[in-house]
């Protein structure tokens, strides 16, 4: 026995307490834990005492979970608490993230929205290749004296862009494009620090749920990857082996589109998760109304509508990425008319699928090379995707407006979301056509890029209103279950009538009494 206690010291500590609780009267144990407070004795009728004792026995039999929480712990549970140090298990993360996290995510999304628009301005002003080095730490400060400026200007003069496009650029003109690119990079550093540092604080202070913590870490990694991807894009324009000799120096349209797409994904992730946290708080604030709303959203009639919104978000994203290819190839500077492209709705087939862009002897890559590298076909693809997006939005609006079944089950918030998407798609179409007709002026082109992100944002808002959050639904159900359980705590299986019958059955001397509901 001594060897057992030496091997398990926790059992040795628990043994005296275990022995005492195994060999002690239950009534004495309950009396020992009651506080010794002097109470004035009040006379009680025999019927009332019998009724209370019988009611207690009935409630214990009908609600064992409730009675076990009131009764003193068993010896085995006491042993478990003693071995574990008497501490109850506590989850590290809360069930729902704090509202502050939602506001921070939405603020970060607004900052990413701004840097995407500013990045477009940097691309349109041809300022992106002015800084020829990538220094994530030391590059955060611009040149401070004449020698530093001469050094930076010398590095730029060795780039293909200076030799082919700006051979007569002065130092003052170089400073203007340098500050554009420097501001864009500094903004990116601010986005990263303003996201990573608060994310560490919120996770350490248990302000986020466990799933949200993983999502935040993923977004932080995406921001870091975006910085590396940005330099990889700029690097493609600093050497002339990625474009034809003597042609316009530019960054790779593939890398530009990848950089733009990563920014869009990062923005939508911030926006979606911020909206989901606010929606969770709104639903949990009123579980009864939330249960009705979620039941309505689970109806089979909304399944097609919900999937249509998800497909529309993907279509808007693909259209924006095709716009990145248009910007990377300067395809907006040709066929500046709408809806015609030259003499017809499309250019000739020989121009759309030219062998000039094929890199193989058998021309097996002629299809995808032209789709991604031929400016004429790239612009046509963008027109087709934009027209498809507009048609899809109007089809979704007609479905939500004229379908009798959908009108009956579609919530008002979702209907307003559809109207918002319709307004933004009309604005985006007008901006796109104006940008093309007026030969890509700086204000219209920048507004067109911002409009694509605004349209995607509103589609995501509509999606957040129509989607059924599974985890929040379970929390709402748990909250409703607890509320219902507390209301029925003492009135479970046998009701008051059965308790009264038990009192009379076990006390024959009370059979002459008239039992009233107030007794």
């Amino acid at each position: 026995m001594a060897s057992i206690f030496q091997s398990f010291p926790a059992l040795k500590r628990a043994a005296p307490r275990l022995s005492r609780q195994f060999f002690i009267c239950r009534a004495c144990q309950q009396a020992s834990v009651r506080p010794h407070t002097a109470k004035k004795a009040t006379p009680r009728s025999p019927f009332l005492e019998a009724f209370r004792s019988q009611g207690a026995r009935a409630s214990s039999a009908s609600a064992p979970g409730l009675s076990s929480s009131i009764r003193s712990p068993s010896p085995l549970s006491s042993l478990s608490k003693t071995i574990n140090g008497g501490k109850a298990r506590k989850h590290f993360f809360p069930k729902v993230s704090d509202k502050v996290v939602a506001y921070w995510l939405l603020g970060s999304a607004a900052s990413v929205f701004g840097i995407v628009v500013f990045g477009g301005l940097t691309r349109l002003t041809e300022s992106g290749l002015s800084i020829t080095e990538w220094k994530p730490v030391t590059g955060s400060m611009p040149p401070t004296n004449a020698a530093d400026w001469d050094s930076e200007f010398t590095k730029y003069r060795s780039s293909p862009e200076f030799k082919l496009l700006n051979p007569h650029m002065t130092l003052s003109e170089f400073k203007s494009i340098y500050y554009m690119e420097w501001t864009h990079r500094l903004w990116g550093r601010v986005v990263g620090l303003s996201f990573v540092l608060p994310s560490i604080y919120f996770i350490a202070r248990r302000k986020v749920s466990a799933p949200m913590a993983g999502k935040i870490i993923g977004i932080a990694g995406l921001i870091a990857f975006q910085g590396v991807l940005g330099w990889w894009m700029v690097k493609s324009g600093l050497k002339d082996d990625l474009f034809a000799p003597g042609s316009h120096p530019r960054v790779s349209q593939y890398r530009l589109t990848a950089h733009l797409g990563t920014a869009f994904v990062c923005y939508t992730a911030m926006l979606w998760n911020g909206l989901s946290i606010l929606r969770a708080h709104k639903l949990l604030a009123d579980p009864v109304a939330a249960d009705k709303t979620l039941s309505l959203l689970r109806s089979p009639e909304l399944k097609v509508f919900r999937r249509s919104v998800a497909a529309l978000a993907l279509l808007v994203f693909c259209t924006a990425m095709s716009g990145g290819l248009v910007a990377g190839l300067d395809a907006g500077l040709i066929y500046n008319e709408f809806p015609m492209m030259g003499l017809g709705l499309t250019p000739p087939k020989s121009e759309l699928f030219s062998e000039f862009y094929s890199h193989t002897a058998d021309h097996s890559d002629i299809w995808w090379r032209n789709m991604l590298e031929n400016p004429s076909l790239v612009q046509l693809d963008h027109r087709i995707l934009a027209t498809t997006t507009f048609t899809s939005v109007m089809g979704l609006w007609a479905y939500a407006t004229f379908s009798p079944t959908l009108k009956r089950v579609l919530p008002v918030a979702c209907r307003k979301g559809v109207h918002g998407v319709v307004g933004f798609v009309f604005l985006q179409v007008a901006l796109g056509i104006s940008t093309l007709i007026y030969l890509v002026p700086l204000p219209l082109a920048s507004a067109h890029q911002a409009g694509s992100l605004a349209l995607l944002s509103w589609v995501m808002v509509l999606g957040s209103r129509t989607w059924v959050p599974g985890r929040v639904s379970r929390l709402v159900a748990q909250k409703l279950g607890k509320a219902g359980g507390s209301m029925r705590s003492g009135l479970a299986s046998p009701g008051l009538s059965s308790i009264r019958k038990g009192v009379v059955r076990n006390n024959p001397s009370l059979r002459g009494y008239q039992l009233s509901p107030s007794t």
Side-chain angles (χ1 to χ4, degrees):
M1 183 65 69
S3 61
I4 296 177
F5 286 147
Q6 290 176 359
S7 303
F8 302 94
L11 184 61
K12 182 179 180 180
R13 294 194 306 269
R17 181 178 179 182
L18 180 65
S19 61
R20 288 196 306 270
Q21 292 196 4
F22 265 123
F23 304 99
I24 192 170
C25 176
R26 180 73 63 184
C28 297
Q29 184 181 4
Q30 293 180 355
S32 62
V33 299
R34 294 195 190 101
H36 297 281
T37 56
K39 293 185 178 180
K40 184 178 179 180
T42 56
R44 297 180 180 178
S45 64
F47 172 77
L48 185 58
E49 290 291 337
F51 181 83
R52 289 186 176 181
S53 62
Q54 179 66 20
R57 287 195 299 270
S59 60
S60 299
S62 61
L66 181 63
S67 61
S68 62
S69 64
I70 299 175
R71 294 198 304 264
S72 61
S74 65
L76 292 179
S77 64
S78 301
L79 175 62
S80 175
K81 290 183 179 179
T82 304
I83 294 176
N84 294 330
K87 295 181 180 179
R89 184 181 177 185
K90 187 176 181 180
H91 294 284
F92 184 83
F93 294 106
K95 293 182 178 180
V96 183
S97 302
D98 197 284
K99 274 188 175 182
V100 178
V101 180
Y103 297 138
W104 162 68
L105 284 171
L106 294 178
S108 300
S111 183
V112 174
F113 188 101
I115 196 175
V116 168
V117 177
F118 193 83
L121 290 173
T122 305
R123 168 73 180 84
L124 291 168
T125 56
E126 297 183 344
S127 305
L129 301 178
S130 58
I131 302 179
T132 58
E133 294 178 336
W134 189 47
K135 299 177 180 179
V137 179
T138 59
S140 58
M141 294 299 295
T144 56
N145 50 53
D148 293 340
W149 277 113
D150 289 337
S151 176
E152 293 294 329
F153 193 31
T154 301
K155 296 174 185 177
Y156 177 69
R157 283 199 293 263
S158 62
S159 66
E161 184 178 73
F162 178 84
K163 295 176 182 179
L164 296 175
L165 293 181
N166 304 317
H168 305 292
M169 177 177 283
T170 62
L171 180 60
S172 60
E173 293 172 341
F174 169 73
K175 288 182 179 180
S176 63
I177 63 173
Y178 184 95
Y179 276 120
M180 283 286 294
E181 175 63 12
W182 175 80
T183 303
H184 182 62
R185 295 191 182 191
L186 181 64
W187 199 336
R189 293 183 178 94
V190 171
V191 169
L193 290 177
S194 63
F195 191 88
V196 172
L197 296 181
S199 65
I200 296 174
Y201 171 79
F202 288 135
I203 294 175
R205 298 294 295 176
R206 306 179 186 182
K207 297 288 186 180
V208 297
S209 62
M212 187 58 63
K215 295 174 183 178
I216 288 175
I217 293 174
I219 296 174
L222 194 63
I223 293 175
F225 176 71
Q226 175 73 342
V228 177
L229 198 60
W231 168 245
W232 183 59
M233 176 194 67
V234 171
K235 191 178 179 180
S236 66
L238 298 177
K239 47 186 179 179
D240 54 2
D241 58 345
L242 293 178
F243 44 85
S247 62
H248 191 293
R250 60 169 65 94
V251 299
S252 168
Q253 75 272 18
Y254 299 110
R255 302 185 187 186
L256 174 65
T257 305
H259 187 54
L260 179 65
T262 308
F264 269 56
V265 171
C266 186
Y267 168 79
T268 52
M270 294 175 178
L271 178 66
W272 179 270
N273 288 295
L275 292 175
S276 65
I277 294 175
L278 293 179
R279 190 187 185 200
H281 280 275
K282 183 178 180 181
L283 292 174
L284 292 174
D286 190 355
V288 177
D291 185 61
K292 295 179 181 179
T293 302
L294 294 175
S295 300
L296 196 63
L297 291 176
R298 291 191 197 98
S299 59
E301 292 83 358
L302 282 179
K303 183 179 294 185
V304 175
F305 180 83
R306 189 181 302 110
R307 292 178 178 177
S308 300
V309 174
L312 180 61
L314 182 61
L315 180 60
V316 172
F317 179 82
C318 292
T319 305
M321 294 306 101
S322 71
L325 292 175
V326 171
L329 293 171
D330 289 330
L333 299 176
I334 60 175
Y335 293 113
N336 302 104
E337 52 191 348
F338 189 85
M340 307 297 290
M341 294 184 71
L343 299 178
L345 291 175
T346 64
K349 184 178 180 180
S350 59
E351 180 182 347
L352 293 177
F353 298 99
S354 174
E355 297 180 356
F356 173 78
Y357 297 97
S358 176
H359 292 185
T360 59
D362 59 351
H363 304 304
S364 58
D365 60 345
I366 190 172
W367 290 93
W368 70 267
R369 287 280 184 184
N370 277 274
M371 291 183 66
L372 299 176
E373 298 178 5
N374 185 348
S376 300
L377 186 55
V378 166
Q379 188 191 125
L380 177 62
D381 292 340
H382 187 61
R383 290 189 182 203
I384 293 174
L385 285 171
T387 305
T388 305
T389 301
F390 178 80
T391 306
S392 301
V393 170
M394 298 311 299
L396 185 67
W397 171 81
Y399 179 49
T401 304
F402 300 108
S403 173
T405 304
L406 201 63
K407 287 174 64 176
R408 179 174 52 86
V409 298
L410 189 65
V412 178
C414 298
R415 198 178 307 277
K416 292 180 179 179
V418 173
H419 295 162
V421 172
V422 171
F424 274 107
V425 77
F426 268 102
L427 177 64
Q428 181 67 351
V429 167
L431 288 173
I433 295 175
S434 302
T435 302
L436 180 68
I437 292 176
Y438 291 103
L439 297 175
V440 196
L442 188 62
L444 285 176
S446 180
H448 185 52
Q449 183 177 7
S452 65
L453 198 53
L455 176 59
L456 181 61
S457 303
W458 203 254
V459 175
M460 298 301 293
V461 170
L462 175 60
S464 68
R465 295 178 180 180
T466 57
W467 215 253
V468 180
R471 189 169 182 272
V472 177
S473 300
R474 291 190 294 270
L475 293 177
V476 169
Q478 292 175 6
K479 202 167 184 180
L480 285 174
K482 289 181 180 179
S486 62
M487 293 175 62
R488 300 186 300 269
S489 57
L491 307 174
S493 301
L496 287 176
S497 59
S498 63
I499 295 177
R500 296 190 189 101
K501 292 178 181 178
V503 171
V504 176
R505 183 174 60 252
N506 295 329
N507 298 273
S509 60
L510 300 177
R511 289 180 180 175
Y513 285 87
Q514 180 69 30
L515 300 181
S516 63
S518 60
T519 303

